């Protein structure tokens, strides 16, 4: 959701604060920029990943965290991996790590169970479905983590993943997302 210039949190975040400390996003998920995401996710154009990473890196440079982050991509579901053959978040994270010179930790975050496709679900169903879906297989004690994803809609996935990273000892989690879906109205 777009915030006013002086707003620190949206209403949904005030009602249930997310586990992550902040979000850095490259652009709103709306035309014409949303085409890049669709090219990567549905047309499987891998050439879109470096473009998205470059845009996200620019957003990071404009609003940098206090120190380099350990980048961890959000894992795709098995069904999405079978359908696409790739994890969009991991593709963006790989190029983002190279561009920023930050370390990338693949495979640390895992899904405990499969979830239905979120595109058809509302906010409450997404939040309920995402709770407890992730776990982290690595010790992240004291690390500042950058959770990388392609699109943030309700922040349910980011929140669930951030909670798993914090449970693994991460000192903080910053969500780095190529696009953020603006709330209607």
């Amino acid at each position: 959701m777009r915030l006013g210039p002086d707003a620190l949190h949206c209403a949904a975040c005030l009602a249930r604060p997310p586990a992550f400390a902040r979000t850095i996003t490259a652009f709103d998920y709306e035309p014409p920029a949303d085409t890049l995401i669709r090219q990567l996710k549905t047309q499987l154009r891998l050439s879109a990943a470096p473009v998205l990473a470059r845009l996200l890196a620019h957003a990071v440079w404009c609003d940098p965290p206090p120190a380099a982050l350990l980048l961890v991509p959000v894992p795709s579901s098995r069904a999405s991996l079978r359908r696409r053959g790739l994890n969009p978040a991991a593709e963006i994270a790989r190029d983002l790590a190279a561009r920023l010179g930050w370390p990338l930790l693949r495979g640390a975050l895992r899904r405990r169970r499969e979830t239905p496709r979120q595109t058809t679900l509302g906010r409450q169903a997404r939040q309920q479905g995402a709770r407890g879906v992730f776990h982290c297989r690595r010790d992240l004690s004291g690390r500042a983590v950058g959770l990388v994803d392609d699109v943030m809609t309700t922040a349910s996935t980011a929140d669930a993943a951030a909670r798993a990273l914090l449970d693994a000892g991460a000192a903080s989690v910053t969500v780095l997302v190529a696009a953020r879906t603006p709330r209607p109205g």
Side-chain angles (χ1 to χ4, degrees):
M1 175 172 144
R2 290 187 188 131
L3 299 177
D6 297 326
L8 296 176
H9 303 284
C10 69
C13 291
L14 289 173
R16 184 176 188 265
F20 50 89
R22 66 190 284 218
T23 302
I24 298 174
T25 185
F27 54 87
D28 284 339
Y29 188 63
E30 57 188 10
D34 62 337
T35 302
L36 286 169
I37 301 285
R38 282 198 313 278
Q39 286 176 343
L40 179 60
K41 290 179 82 161
T42 62
Q43 297 171 11
L44 308 178
R45 285 192 178 164
L46 286 173
S47 60
V51 176
L52 291 166
R54 187 176 323 122
L55 291 168
L56 186 50
H58 180 72
V60 170
W61 292 326
C62 289
D63 188 17
L69 302 175
L70 173 64
L71 299 180
V72 175
V74 171
S76 288
S77 69
R78 280 189 220 126
S80 292
L81 284 173
R82 276 193 304 273
R83 188 173 61 254
R84 292 186 188 119
L86 62 89
N87 175 354
E91 297 299 323
I92 294 167
R94 182 187 65 212
D95 289 309
L96 185 63
R99 187 161 294 279
L100 296 174
W102 290 354
L104 173 63
L105 184 58
R106 290 178 182 240
L109 199 57
R110 299 283 187 174
R111 287 179 177 263
R112 288 189 166 140
R113 65 181 188 283
E114 293 300 302
T115 56
R117 289 189 71 186
Q118 292 192 348
T119 54
T120 61
L121 303 177
R123 175 180 286 280
Q124 197 167 29
R126 286 178 184 226
Q127 288 173 338
Q128 289 173 347
R131 279 197 190 109
V133 76
F134 299 107
H135 75 285
C136 184
R137 302 174 352 141
R138 299 285 297 267
D139 179 12
L140 300 177
S141 294
R143 299 296 302 262
V145 175
L147 178 66
V148 181
D149 206 356
D150 54 352
V151 178
M152 179 186 279
T153 304
T154 63
S156 301
T157 299
D159 183 61
R163 289 182 192 283
L165 296 168
L166 292 170
D167 287 346
S172 65
V173 177
T174 297
V175 176
L176 304 170
V177 63
R180 174 80 192 240
T181 301
R183 182 173 256 177

